[in-house]
Amino acid sequence: DTDLALSHSLGRTLGELTRQRHFRLLQLGRLGLTEVEQLIAGMSGFIPVPGLMEAVYARTEGNPLFMTEVVRWLVQQEAFNPKKGSDSTSRDFPIPAGIHAIIRARLDHLSGSCHQILITASVVGREFELALLEQLIDSMSRDRLLEALEEALVIRVIEELPNPGLYQFTHILVRDTLLGELSRARQALLHGRIGQALEGLYGQDV
């Protein structure tokens, strides 16, 4: 229920279907821990150890699509088999390339300028604010910056938070995918600029 933009053709189809007498809409939200355990057990044949199950949940945030891809990959690694896997609670297992490909396909709908803004925002963190982006991207007016962010809002790769001017990536894996497009040297350079911008915005309160 978080991945469909209202302008998507499927959204229009759903609008037409609601006029049908027997139409029923089932919204698929994020899974809870109990459902995650059931999914893992059903796909692997093993009851997952709590540490690994919670690590999977933390990395995917219960997103059913991401969850399925991660669990499928871990099943291939026999991570859930108590005789061959590990009971490590580490959250450092790699995210399957298929998930990054899915996210990149969504990002391909964005303009080049919007994409670059989001890459900069990804270095800031999961959450970022408009005022900070204005300092980092001074070649773009506030109106143009807002237009670019609204473009990302439409396809729901970011969302607005209650405080005006504050945004966050809808999923940490969206942020990680964008961040992965930058070299470490480029990330370090941007971190330096972000630090200077924060000092300029907040002074002694940074």
Side-chain angles (χ1 to χ4, degrees), residues 162-204:
N163 291 341
L166 191 62
Y167 302 84
Q168 74 172 9
F169 291 101
T170 52
H171 200 287
I172 189 63
L173 294 180
V174 175
R175 184 249 179 175
D176 290 348
T177 299
L178 286 159
L179 191 62
E181 297 184 25
L182 291 175
S183 66
R184 290 183 182 179
R186 183 65 176 165
Q187 288 182 38
L189 180 62
L190 278 171
H191 273 299
R193 290 187 57 204
I194 290 167
Q196 291 175 344
L198 287 171
E199 288 178 346
L201 284 171
Y202 298 106
Q204 296 302 312

Side-chain angles (χ1 to χ4, degrees), residues 72-93:
R72 181 180 290 119
W73 184 85
L74 288 172
V75 167
Q76 292 173 351
Q77 308 305 309
E78 299 190 278
F80 300 111
N81 186 336
K83 295 181 179 179
K84 297 183 179 180
S86 169
D87 62 354
S88 169
T89 60
S90 171
R91 299 181 180 184
D92 294 333
F93 57 82

Side-chain angles (χ1 to χ4, degrees), residues 62-134:
N63 180 295
L65 176 60
F66 297 161
M67 181 75 64
T68 303
E69 290 295 316
V70 166
V71 171
R72 181 180 290 119
W73 184 85
L74 288 172
V75 167
Q76 292 173 351
Q77 308 305 309
E78 299 190 278
F80 300 111
N81 186 336
K83 295 181 179 179
K84 297 183 179 180
S86 169
D87 62 354
S88 169
T89 60
S90 171
R91 299 181 180 184
D92 294 333
F93 57 82
I95 294 300
I99 291 181
H100 290 300
I102 291 168
I103 294 172
R104 288 192 189 98
R106 293 183 65 190
L107 295 173
D108 283 344
H109 294 287
L110 299 172
S111 64
S113 58
C114 179
H115 193 93
Q116 288 303 313
I117 289 169
L118 293 184
I119 288 178
T120 300
S122 74
V123 181
V124 176
R126 172 77 179 272
E127 296 182 9
F128 56 92
E129 56 183 319
L130 176 62
L132 180 56
L133 286 182
E134 283 186 282

